[in-house]
Amino acid sequence: MPELPEVETIRRSLEHNLVGKTIIRVFIRNIRLRWIVPNEIHCLNKQLVLSISRRAKYLLLELPKGWIIIHFGMSGSLRLESFEQSPIKHDHIDLIMSDNKILRYNDPRRFGAWLWSNDLASSNVLSNLGPEPLSDEFNAEYLFNKSFNTRTLIKQWLMDPKVVVGIGNIYVNESLFIAGVLPNRLTMSLNKKTIILLVDAIKTTLCSAIEQGGTTLRNFFHIDNKPGCFNQKLRVYARAGKMCYTCKTLICKNKQGQRSTFWCPRCQS
DNA sequence: CCTAGACCCTGTACGC
DNA sequence: TGCGTACAGGGTCTAG
């Protein structure tokens, strides 16, 4: 389940391995992802990879003709393999590269997407996105001003990409723990001091997760198939019934808006 | 406009 | 062993 740190981890390794190489052609086994894979991608040939960047959880491949926009959904992953290796189940798209390598997109649940854009500024999926959580634009001033009249629960609010992008269920649970805030607090009830703690907790958590190469619980693997290491640092996520590392109280779990929610009833208030 | 909930999908885990 | 069911959840869409 790639969130921002996982997509950033993928971006960094692809930048290292793909930029300056050429996409010879594209082979598609299944065009039915979240949306139908557009024709522009089918027809790509001899395209130099100019850059690889990220916006929110979207990976952006810059080519001379335009941009490939990739979203991993729940179960999407990329593997960089040599020419001889055979595809496996749910390998939907191959980018055949100039150096005898293949970049393979695998996605069992097909919640992911491959989109094409001639002009990122006018891209449907990228407009209306809130600030990047690790940018200066995302600060306590911004979040507090926005939180003021919001009648929703803080956890669901922080997962809304119009508020801030890239934070999924794992990192919102972790950030709320670090900030000492209960997930079911009403957003408008948080004071400035708490918002400062929250912004700081989000940035710290995401930075640490990127350093650890992301979190591998089920679906996320690096392009060389190695797992991320941040799961060892998880304080509440997927720890229901286990002891809080800080105070030894048992971690609680419930559902909030169809998503599993984890918290420590003593450390968070 | 704002907010809540349904929906898309398939591998895995678990109870009987 | 085998079958049915719940669960995982990002983002979009619809309903109220």
Side-chain angles (χ1 to χ4, degrees), chain A residues 206-237:
Chain A
L206 293 178
C207 283
S208 170
I210 292 171
E211 275 174 36
Q212 299 293 316
T215 302
T216 297
L217 288 170
R218 265 174 291 276
N219 298 308
F220 171 70
F221 290 94
H222 296 188
I223 58 167
D224 57 5
N225 253 333
K226 292 190 179 126
C229 296
F230 192 73
N231 9 350
Q232 293 160 20
K233 300 214 166 187
L234 294 176
R235 310 286 291 274
V236 288
Y237 186 84

Side-chain angles (χ1 to χ4, degrees), chain A residues 255-260:
Chain A
K255 285 249 176 183
Q256 206 177 294
Q258 299 180 215
R259 304 282 185 262
S260 294

